[in-house]
Amino acid sequence: DSMRSFTIKQYQFGPLDEEKYHENLGRHRFGDTRRKGGYDCLRHYELLANGCIPIVADLDHIPVSVLTTLPRGLLAEARNLYAMPWIDTEEG
């Protein structure tokens, strides 16, 4: 379910907390990102810009005409190497 991550975890940053948001991203190596309003969003790029590898569970289902500058091959490899064992767990 694409809304799972959003509904389980409470978003903790308000509209004036952008600096805290980016600091938080910078403390993590990986970031869970899923389709919410649509696939084409800045969240994937925000993660990359802050040193996080975006783990996109449904990366293979994103149309090739969307997110054309996203390094899909590298993200798929990272997902398969590091994230897939945890994707279907309660914490994933």
Side-chain angles (χ1 to χ4, degrees), residues 28-81:
H28 296 86
R29 292 185 180 160
F30 302 95
D32 178 33
T33 181
R34 300 170 183 262
R35 180 176 184 246
K36 292 178 184 166
Y39 287 116
D40 200 3
C41 67
L42 290 177
R43 183 174 52 258
H44 317 303
Y45 300 101
E46 283 181 324
L47 289 165
L48 286 168
N50 285 283
C52 293
I53 298 172
I55 300 300
V56 186
D58 53 352
L59 181 65
D60 303 327
H61 301 289
I62 299 174
V64 294
S65 61
V66 178
L67 298 171
T68 57
T69 60
L70 198 69
R72 291 172 187 248
L74 292 173
L75 294 180
E77 187 176 342
R79 178 196 61 199
N80 294 338
L81 286 172

